[in-house]
Amino acid sequence: MTVPLIVSIPHRLGREEASRRLKAGLARAAASIPVLKVDEERWEDDRMIFRVRALGQPVSGHLDVADDHVRLESRCPGCCSSLHRWPRP
């Protein structure tokens, strides 16, 4: 089983504006990055649940939008699964 990659991204947009930008962002990214394919994107309140493929590697996870940050939790098997072993400050 893969270990999740968890990232907190601070912002000053507020929850509504951050959600609005994210709702438009994944489809726009997939349209401009040929190696990115969106298999699923669904919203449940302030959480986006997603499944994408990048260079053929499946990545799934969710984004939780808060007033001052976005928390990304994803699982990516294969070559990405070693990211959790990177040195941490």
Side-chain angles (χ1 to χ4, degrees):
M1 180 170 200
T2 61
V3 175
L5 173 66
I6 300 171
V7 179
S8 181
I9 305 163
H11 66 79
R12 295 183 179 145
L13 300 171
R15 188 181 310 243
E16 285 184 34
E17 179 62 15
S19 292
R20 185 188 70 76
R21 292 184 186 195
L22 286 167
K23 286 177 181 175
L26 187 56
R28 190 173 57 236
S32 63
I33 303 171
V35 297
L36 179 65
K37 304 293 182 216
V38 179
D39 294 328
E40 176 185 14
E41 176 185 354
R42 96 176 173 272
W43 284 85
E44 296 177 358
D45 298 319
D46 293 320
R47 174 176 278 196
M48 178 179 71
I49 298 158
F50 65 88
R51 283 185 305 115
V52 298
R53 284 175 284 134
L55 294 171
Q57 293 291 314
V59 178
S60 62
H62 60 269
L63 295 169
D64 293 310
V65 182
D67 291 328
D68 61 351
H69 71 282
V70 173
R71 182 180 182 273
L72 165 68
E73 182 172 330
S74 69
R75 294 184 182 273
C76 43
C79 67
C80 299
S81 64
S82 63
L83 288 175
H84 71 277
R85 288 185 252 148
W86 278 10
R88 293 184 179 112

